[in-house]
Amino acid sequence: MRTKRQWWWLAAILVLGLVLAACGNQTATQPEDEGAGQEGQEESPAAEVQTVNIGYSGPLSGPAAFYGENTLSGLRIAVDEINEAGGFEINGQTYMLNLVSLDDQYMPNETGTNARRLIQEHQTPIIFIPHSGGIFAVQVFNEEEDVLIAAYTSEPAVSEAGNELTVRIPPRYDAYPEPFSKYLMERFGNRIALLPTASQYGKDWTEELVPVWESLGGEVVFEGSIDFAKDTDFYTIVSNALAQNPDVLFVGGPSEPTAMVVAQARELGFEGGLLVMDQAKFDEMAAVFDGDYTLLEGAAGVVPLVYTNHPGTAQFVEKYNQLHGKNPGSEAGYHYVAMYIFVEAMKAAGSVDDARAIRAHLQEGINNLSDEYKVYDISEVDEHGGLSNVESMAVIENGEVKEIELE
């Protein structure tokens, strides 16, 4: 008579035999799919969604953090929208985007370090950089590394450097000094005091402005600059500038600290005009004053995004308000549309990691962009890698923004 223990062993042997028989009926060459079993369906490795890392290095801390976050916010919205729509497809392969952002505190040497990290650790085919000093630092090696720089700067020298893998996103600033100067001279007078940001961008803008101002009969009565990465008290330098009795102040840099420079000048009794370099935006400066443009009266600068009328502007402004509770600046708008253009260029190139192929197909990317994403209506990429769109200027008159088309 068999014991219970003997019956248990017989049952175990029988079950083991059935399992071995079943395994013997499987195809021996069938590869194992690590992703199989998700939601009850098996997929081949080729059909798995792949990720493309997009790099960003900009000021996310320190005095210029407000500016950095504004640029980054447009990228985030574009990346989120693309991923929420299921990504994008190239030759049957689906891709999602992953935004990798690093803080450089507006310091070019940190930008260079961040770029190398993005390349080596994250294999980013594109790196967005929103300041000229950082762009110049990365232009030293990006061609050797086959990485595209998405350059958010209006500095002409960035495009004229001959770097084949640099794409300048906003318009060049050298279209602005003459119309800004003519307007301000006519309204206020020809004496100007210089108080721009001390960055390389501020120096280059000043070198472009001064000859134009003087050629129109103007006089520079004070030359100074402000290091927004270090300076937070503007009383002394603004007092020194106003002591020379200027009719116009040339100011600029990140919007928030530039607004504080203007506030200091008004507090000290300055009633003249403001020539505002294009990095600072009127709506962002007014936000420092709770949306009041009174202190910006008599300013000439670039047109805020919310006062433009491109095919995708209204939709973007509405969504941005829903997400952030405020209007977007041009930094957010340009980064948003640029991200979509680069994705379309990837699709046209048939590659997500060949920087030279993506650059070669950038015009196709512009041509293929749907109107709903045209926060700015960019028409072409020029021979120097600059994205082109219609340029205009804005002035503040009677507390309101007025747009003037440039000839």
Side-chain angles (χ1 to χ4, degrees):
M1 184 176 181
R2 299 184 187 275
T3 65
K4 289 183 178 180
R5 181 179 297 273
Q6 289 173 319
W7 282 114
W8 186 90
W9 278 109
L10 286 172
I13 292 170
L14 179 60
V15 170
L16 180 60
L18 290 172
V19 170
L20 291 174
C23 291
N25 290 332
Q26 291 184 356
T27 304
T29 58
Q30 181 177 352
E32 181 180 356
D33 181 5
E34 294 181 357
Q38 297 180 4
E39 299 185 5
Q41 295 181 349
E42 294 187 358
E43 297 181 2
S44 66
E48 290 180 352
V49 174
Q50 296 187 13
T51 300
V52 181
N53 289 327
I54 301 297
Y56 171 92
S57 178
L60 301 177
S61 65
F66 181 81
Y67 168 71
E69 286 293 343
N70 282 344
T71 61
L72 190 57
S73 65
L75 279 179
R76 287 195 185 111
I77 294 175
V79 167
D80 288 346
E81 285 183 355
I82 290 166
N83 289 342
E84 288 168 5
F88 60 99
E89 188 174 302
I90 298 176
N91 298 327
Q93 175 65 59
T94 300
Y95 296 92
M96 294 286 194
L97 299 176
N98 178 49
L99 182 58
V100 185
S101 57
L102 301 178
D103 181 17
D104 62 23
Q105 297 183 314
Y106 214 59
M107 299 170 62
N109 61 318
E110 291 297 325
T111 312
T113 300
N114 286 349
R116 291 193 181 279
R117 179 181 168 190
L118 289 166
I119 294 167
Q120 295 167 5
E121 297 181 14
H122 302 283
Q123 295 78 51
T124 53
I126 302 169
I127 300 175
F128 284 81
I129 304 173
H131 53 100
S132 61
I135 293 163
F136 287 132
V138 179
Q139 281 185 323
V140 172
F141 58 83
N142 75 298
E143 290 181 295
E144 180 181 344
E145 297 287 352
D146 285 328
V147 173
L148 272 166
I149 298 175
Y152 186 75
T153 178
S154 59
E155 168 59 66
V158 162
S159 299
E160 295 168 354
N163 189 292
E164 295 181 356
L165 293 180
T166 296
V167 177
R168 192 196 72 250
I169 299 171
R172 296 163 56 116
Y173 68 66
D174 51 6
Y176 298 129
E178 184 173 348
F180 288 11
S181 297
K182 286 181 176 178
Y183 172 84
L184 290 166
M185 280 188 180
E186 182 177 343
R187 185 172 174 187
F188 294 100
N190 67 353
R191 296 168 59 83
I192 191 169
L194 309 178
L195 292 173
T197 172
S199 69
Q200 185 61 49
Y201 182 66
K203 295 174 184 177
D204 293 341
W205 230 104
T206 302
E207 290 178 3
E208 185 73 28
L209 170 65
V210 170
V212 172
W213 186 268
E214 292 179 337
S215 71
L216 294 172
E219 178 186 2
V220 176
V221 297
F222 180 85
E223 296 185 42
S225 63
I226 301 173
D227 187 348
F228 289 121
K230 299 178 181 178
D231 300 335
T232 56
D233 183 358
F234 312 121
Y235 177 85
T236 300
I237 191 168
V238 172
S239 296
N240 291 340
L242 297 186
Q244 304 305 314
N245 194 31
D247 301 309
V248 176
L249 295 182
F250 170 49
V251 296
S255 298
E256 188 174 31
T258 298
M260 300 312 297
V261 172
V262 172
Q264 182 68 81
R266 297 304 193 200
E267 184 178 325
L268 291 170
F270 180 67
E271 297 180 353
L274 303 167
L275 197 158
V276 183
M277 61 190 293
D278 61 330
Q279 185 180 357
K281 307 302 187 297
F282 286 157
D283 54 336
E284 295 170 1
M285 293 172 68
V288 176
F289 312 129
D290 297 322
D292 187 355
Y293 284 86
T294 302
L295 295 183
L296 301 178
E297 181 66 29
V302 294
V303 183
L305 173 61
V306 293
Y307 291 92
T308 64
N309 188 31
H310 302 291
T313 303
Q315 177 177 299
F316 178 73
V317 170
E318 180 180 0
K319 180 162 189 174
Y320 197 95
N321 268 278
Q322 292 173 351
L323 292 172
H324 298 283
K326 63 178 184 178
N327 286 330
S330 58
E331 291 92 354
Y334 272 118
H335 279 77
Y336 175 87
V337 68
M339 186 70 258
Y340 271 103
I341 288 173
F342 279 118
V343 167
E344 289 297 329
M346 288 178 179
K347 291 158 67 175
S351 173
V352 297
D353 54 15
D354 186 337
R356 294 185 184 277
I358 295 168
R359 171 64 184 87
H361 289 81
L362 199 62
Q363 185 61 54
E364 290 179 66
I366 294 170
N367 295 343
N368 294 339
L369 189 65
S370 298
D371 280 354
E372 63 185 302
Y373 306 124
K374 293 181 180 179
V375 177
Y376 284 99
D377 196 2
I378 294 172
S379 58
E380 64 178 0
V381 54
D382 64 31
E383 60 181 341
H384 300 296
L387 303 184
S388 301
N389 65 308
V390 177
E391 298 171 353
S392 58
M393 64 178 281
V395 297
I396 308 300
E397 295 182 355
N398 301 317
E400 296 183 354
V401 178
K402 178 181 177 182
E403 183 177 4
I404 301 174
E405 292 292 334
L406 299 184
E407 298 180 358

